[in-house]
Amino acid sequence: GDSVTQMEGPVTLSEEAFLTINCTYTATGYPSLFWYVQYPGEGLQLLLKATKADDKGSNKGFEATYRKETTSFHLEKGSVQVSDSAVYFCALTRYVNQGGKLIFGQGTELSVKP
Amino acid sequence: GAVVSQHPSRVICKSGTSVKIECRSLDFQATTMFWYRQFPKQSLMLMATSNEGSKATYEQGVEKDKFLINHASLTLSTLTVTSAHPEDSSFYICSAPPTVTGLNYGYTFGSGTRLTVV
Protein backbone atom coordinates (compact mmCIF):
# COMPACT_ATOMS: atom_id res chain seq x y z
CA GLY A 1 0.00 0.00 0.00
CA ASP A 2 0.87 3.67 -0.04
CA SER A 3 3.44 4.83 2.48
CA VAL A 4 5.59 7.79 3.46
CA THR A 5 9.00 7.61 5.09
CA GLN A 6 10.68 10.54 6.80
CA MET A 7 14.09 10.95 8.30
CA GLU A 8 14.13 10.25 11.98
CA GLY A 9 14.35 13.01 14.49
CA PRO A 10 14.81 14.83 16.58
CA VAL A 11 16.74 17.30 14.51
CA THR A 12 18.51 20.00 16.50
CA LEU A 13 19.84 23.07 14.74
CA SER A 14 21.16 26.46 15.67
CA GLU A 15 19.28 29.53 14.57
CA GLU A 16 19.99 30.54 10.94
CA ALA A 17 21.20 27.06 10.02
CA PHE A 18 20.07 25.31 6.84
CA LEU A 19 17.33 22.73 7.22
CA THR A 20 16.63 19.61 5.22
CA ILE A 21 14.08 17.01 6.24
CA ASN A 22 14.01 14.06 3.90
CA CYS A 23 10.77 12.49 2.75
CA THR A 24 10.29 9.62 0.32
CA TYR A 25 7.09 7.93 -0.67
CA THR A 26 5.68 4.77 -2.18
CA ALA A 27 2.50 5.05 -4.18
CA THR A 28 1.11 4.04 -7.54
CA GLY A 29 0.21 6.73 -9.99
CA TYR A 30 0.74 10.38 -9.24
CA PRO A 31 -0.08 11.27 -5.67
CA SER A 32 -0.38 14.78 -4.30
CA LEU A 33 2.23 15.56 -1.65
CA PHE A 34 2.04 17.72 1.43
CA TRP A 35 4.06 18.99 4.35
CA TYR A 36 2.17 19.69 7.56
CA VAL A 37 3.51 21.33 10.71
CA GLN A 38 2.37 20.73 14.27
CA TYR A 39 3.47 23.25 16.87
CA PRO A 40 3.56 22.14 20.51
CA GLY A 41 0.07 21.55 21.85
CA GLU A 42 -1.63 22.48 18.59
CA GLY A 43 -3.29 20.77 15.65
CA LEU A 44 -1.90 20.31 12.17
CA GLN A 45 -1.40 23.17 9.76
CA LEU A 46 -0.73 22.86 6.05
CA LEU A 47 2.74 24.18 5.30
CA LEU A 48 2.97 23.55 1.57
CA LYS A 49 1.84 21.19 -1.14
CA ALA A 50 2.59 19.97 -4.66
CA THR A 51 0.20 18.17 -6.92
CA LYS A 52 2.34 17.05 -9.85
CA ALA A 53 5.89 16.13 -10.74
CA ASP A 54 8.44 18.97 -10.66
CA ASP A 55 6.03 21.26 -8.81
CA LYS A 56 7.66 23.29 -6.06
CA GLY A 57 5.62 24.12 -2.99
CA SER A 58 6.72 27.03 -0.86
CA ASN A 59 5.54 28.92 2.19
CA LYS A 60 7.14 30.90 5.04
CA GLY A 61 10.61 30.30 3.61
CA PHE A 62 10.12 26.55 3.37
CA GLU A 63 10.33 24.79 0.02
CA ALA A 64 9.85 21.26 -1.29
CA THR A 65 10.02 19.94 -4.85
CA TYR A 66 8.00 16.95 -6.08
CA ARG A 67 10.60 14.59 -7.56
CA LYS A 68 8.91 11.72 -9.36
CA GLU A 69 12.16 10.06 -10.43
CA THR A 70 13.37 9.72 -6.85
CA THR A 71 9.88 9.58 -5.26
CA SER A 72 10.91 12.31 -2.88
CA PHE A 73 9.57 15.53 -1.45
CA HIS A 74 12.33 16.87 0.79
CA LEU A 75 11.60 19.93 2.92
CA GLU A 76 14.20 22.72 2.99
CA LYS A 77 14.65 26.11 4.58
CA GLY A 78 17.66 28.31 4.17
CA SER A 79 17.71 29.88 7.61
CA VAL A 80 15.68 28.44 10.48
CA GLN A 81 14.36 30.40 13.42
CA VAL A 82 13.54 29.36 16.95
CA SER A 83 9.87 29.75 16.07
CA ASP A 84 10.23 26.94 13.51
CA SER A 85 10.58 24.41 16.32
CA ALA A 86 7.78 21.93 15.73
CA VAL A 87 7.02 18.50 14.36
CA TYR A 88 6.89 18.25 10.58
CA PHE A 89 4.85 15.63 8.75
CA CYS A 90 5.15 14.61 5.14
CA ALA A 91 1.93 13.21 3.67
CA LEU A 92 0.40 12.01 0.43
CA THR A 93 -2.95 11.30 -1.08
CA ARG A 94 -3.75 9.66 -4.37
CA TYR A 95 -7.25 11.00 -4.75
CA VAL A 96 -7.09 14.63 -3.72
CA ASN A 97 -9.84 15.75 -6.03
CA GLN A 98 -12.08 13.02 -4.66
CA GLY A 99 -11.32 13.66 -1.03
CA GLY A 100 -9.02 10.71 -0.58
CA LYS A 101 -7.41 9.89 2.73
CA LEU A 102 -4.07 11.32 3.73
CA ILE A 103 -1.22 8.99 4.54
CA PHE A 104 1.33 10.48 6.93
CA GLY A 105 4.98 9.86 7.55
CA GLN A 106 6.16 9.32 11.09
CA GLY A 107 6.97 12.97 11.69
CA THR A 108 10.27 14.71 12.32
CA GLU A 109 10.74 16.83 15.40
CA LEU A 110 12.76 19.97 14.83
CA SER A 111 14.33 21.91 17.66
CA VAL A 112 16.01 25.23 16.88
CA LYS A 113 18.33 26.70 19.53
CA PRO A 114 19.11 30.41 19.80
CA GLY B 1 -13.36 29.43 5.41
CA ALA B 2 -13.23 25.65 5.86
CA VAL B 3 -13.13 25.42 9.65
CA VAL B 4 -13.61 22.20 11.60
CA SER B 5 -14.47 22.64 15.25
CA GLN B 6 -13.49 19.71 17.47
CA HIS B 7 -14.69 19.24 21.06
CA PRO B 8 -13.71 18.62 23.72
CA SER B 9 -10.06 19.62 23.48
CA ARG B 10 -9.19 17.65 26.60
CA VAL B 11 -11.05 14.99 28.50
CA ILE B 12 -10.18 12.76 31.42
CA CYS B 13 -12.39 9.77 32.07
CA LYS B 14 -12.43 6.71 34.25
CA SER B 15 -11.77 3.22 32.91
CA GLY B 16 -14.92 1.59 31.64
CA THR B 17 -16.74 4.77 30.73
CA SER B 18 -17.46 6.09 27.24
CA VAL B 19 -16.33 9.36 25.73
CA LYS B 20 -17.79 11.16 22.74
CA ILE B 21 -15.72 13.47 20.55
CA GLU B 22 -17.46 15.80 18.12
CA CYS B 23 -16.26 17.42 14.94
CA ARG B 24 -18.37 20.05 13.26
CA SER B 25 -17.78 21.72 9.94
CA LEU B 26 -18.68 25.34 10.57
CA ASP B 27 -18.93 26.91 7.14
CA PHE B 28 -19.17 24.02 4.72
CA GLN B 29 -20.80 20.64 4.40
CA ALA B 30 -18.52 17.72 5.08
CA THR B 31 -19.84 14.54 3.52
CA THR B 32 -16.69 12.75 4.63
CA MET B 33 -14.59 12.97 7.78
CA PHE B 34 -11.34 11.19 8.55
CA TRP B 35 -10.48 10.21 12.12
CA TYR B 36 -6.87 9.88 13.17
CA ARG B 37 -5.13 8.81 16.32
CA GLN B 38 -1.74 10.13 17.34
CA PHE B 39 0.46 8.60 20.01
CA PRO B 40 3.07 10.80 21.73
CA LYS B 41 5.91 11.68 19.38
CA GLN B 42 4.45 9.47 16.67
CA SER B 43 2.62 9.90 13.42
CA LEU B 44 -1.07 10.15 12.76
CA MET B 45 -2.68 6.79 12.22
CA LEU B 46 -5.87 6.77 10.20
CA MET B 47 -8.55 4.96 12.15
CA ALA B 48 -11.62 5.30 9.99
CA THR B 49 -13.49 7.32 7.40
CA SER B 50 -17.00 8.45 8.18
CA ASN B 51 -19.51 9.19 5.46
CA GLU B 52 -22.76 11.03 5.96
CA GLY B 53 -25.70 8.66 5.73
CA SER B 54 -23.71 5.43 5.58
CA LYS B 55 -21.52 3.21 7.71
CA ALA B 56 -18.00 4.24 8.52
CA THR B 57 -15.08 2.50 6.87
CA TYR B 58 -12.52 1.28 9.39
CA GLU B 59 -8.84 0.70 8.77
CA GLN B 60 -7.41 -2.72 9.36
CA GLY B 61 -6.82 -3.46 13.01
CA VAL B 62 -9.20 -0.82 14.37
CA GLU B 63 -11.92 -2.19 16.62
CA LYS B 64 -15.27 -1.11 15.26
CA ASP B 65 -17.10 -1.87 18.48
CA LYS B 66 -14.70 0.17 20.57
CA PHE B 67 -14.47 3.20 18.32
CA LEU B 68 -17.99 4.02 17.21
CA ILE B 69 -18.17 6.58 14.44
CA ASN B 70 -21.34 8.30 13.41
CA HIS B 71 -21.88 10.90 10.69
CA ALA B 72 -25.38 12.03 11.46
CA SER B 73 -25.49 15.12 9.31
CA LEU B 74 -23.51 17.06 6.74
CA THR B 75 -21.92 19.14 9.50
CA LEU B 76 -21.38 16.67 12.34
CA SER B 77 -19.25 13.57 12.76
CA THR B 78 -18.68 11.91 16.13
CA LEU B 79 -16.24 9.38 17.53
CA THR B 80 -17.26 7.52 20.68
CA VAL B 81 -14.63 5.58 22.57
CA THR B 82 -16.60 2.91 24.38
CA SER B 83 -15.53 1.21 27.60
CA ALA B 84 -12.33 3.22 27.57
CA HIS B 85 -9.13 1.82 29.02
CA PRO B 86 -5.78 3.49 29.74
CA GLU B 87 -4.34 2.17 26.48
CA ASP B 88 -6.97 4.25 24.64
CA SER B 89 -5.33 7.39 25.98
CA SER B 90 -4.18 9.33 22.95
CA PHE B 91 -4.64 12.42 20.81
CA TYR B 92 -7.56 12.10 18.41
CA ILE B 93 -7.87 14.36 15.36
CA CYS B 94 -10.58 14.69 12.74
CA SER B 95 -10.04 15.97 9.23
CA ALA B 96 -12.32 17.00 6.40
CA PRO B 97 -11.10 16.53 2.82
CA PRO B 98 -11.12 19.32 0.22
CA THR B 99 -13.99 17.88 -1.79
CA VAL B 100 -16.29 20.79 -1.18
CA THR B 101 -14.02 23.69 -0.52
CA GLY B 102 -11.47 22.89 -3.17
CA LEU B 103 -7.80 22.06 -3.03
CA ASN B 104 -6.81 25.60 -2.08
CA TYR B 105 -8.15 25.01 1.38
CA GLY B 106 -6.53 21.63 1.63
CA TYR B 107 -7.51 19.15 4.24
CA THR B 108 -9.05 20.87 7.22
CA PHE B 109 -8.10 19.53 10.63
CA GLY B 110 -9.81 19.83 13.95
CA SER B 111 -7.67 21.05 16.82
CA GLY B 112 -7.59 17.59 18.37
CA THR B 113 -8.82 15.94 21.56
CA ARG B 114 -6.43 14.78 24.25
CA LEU B 115 -8.05 11.76 25.90
CA THR B 116 -6.67 10.49 29.18
CA VAL B 117 -8.19 7.37 30.70
CA VAL B 118 -7.42 6.83 34.38
Side-chain angles (χ1 to χ4, degrees):
Chain A
D2 298 344
S3 67
V4 177
T5 302
Q6 292 178 232
M7 64 185 287
E8 289 192 17
V11 174
T12 302
L13 296 173
S14 297
E15 205 165 24
E16 298 185 1
F18 184 85
L19 168 72
T20 298
I21 300 178
N22 290 337
C23 170
T24 57
Y25 67 90
T26 301
T28 56
Y30 296 88
S32 293
L33 303 174
F34 305 81
W35 277 101
Y36 283 86
V37 57
Q38 186 178 34
Y39 296 102
E42 298 185 14
L44 271 74
Q45 300 176 26
L46 177 65
L47 182 59
L48 52 84
K49 65 181 184 292
T51 57
K52 61 182 187 294
D54 299 325
D55 266 3
K56 177 185 283 188
S58 61
N59 186 26
K60 299 180 181 180
F62 291 89
E63 292 183 341
T65 301
Y66 188 143
R67 301 290 188 195
K68 180 67 177 175
E69 63 276 13
T70 55
T71 62
S72 65
F73 193 53
H74 303 323
L75 181 69
E76 296 182 337
K77 186 175 185 181
S79 176
V80 293
Q81 305 300 312
V82 173
S83 56
D84 294 326
S85 297
V87 181
Y88 292 82
F89 293 94
C90 186
L92 71 79
T93 184
R94 279 198 284 140
Y95 310 110
V96 65
N97 290 329
Q98 299 163 35
K101 58 188 179 183
L102 273 173
I103 306 297
F104 287 89
Q106 65 267 45
T108 301
E109 183 179 2
L110 171 65
S111 178
V112 181
K113 306 298 184 185
Chain B
V3 176
V4 171
S5 176
Q6 183 172 349
H7 293 281
S9 58
R10 292 178 181 271
V11 58
I12 301 173
C13 70
K14 292 183 178 180
S15 287
T17 62
S18 296
V19 174
K20 179 184 284 188
I21 301 169
E22 293 188 346
C23 279
R24 294 180 184 275
S25 54
L26 297 186
D27 47 4
F28 67 100
Q29 293 182 332
T31 53
T32 299
M33 193 74 75
F34 300 113
W35 286 93
Y36 292 88
R37 180 175 181 177
Q38 184 181 26
F39 291 99
K41 297 189 180 296
Q42 294 189 29
S43 186
L44 284 77
M45 180 191 76
L46 180 65
M47 300 174 63
T49 303
S50 72
N51 297 288
E52 189 272 336
S54 62
K55 289 183 179 180
T57 303
Y58 289 81
E59 297 298 304
Q60 192 172 9
V62 177
E63 297 179 62
K64 301 179 183 181
D65 295 333
K66 166 165 277 297
F67 299 102
L68 299 180
I69 290 175
N70 185 268
H71 203 129
S73 73
L74 288 172
T75 58
L76 176 63
S77 177
T78 60
L79 165 65
T80 302
V81 183
T82 62
S83 186
H85 288 95
E87 57 264 32
D88 299 326
S89 298
S90 194
F91 193 59
Y92 295 88
I93 305 174
C94 60
S95 173
T99 47
V100 175
T101 59
L103 182 58
N104 285 338
Y105 287 105
Y107 290 76
T108 304
F109 289 85
S111 54
T113 297
R114 174 75 59 193
L115 170 63
T116 303
V117 185
V118 297

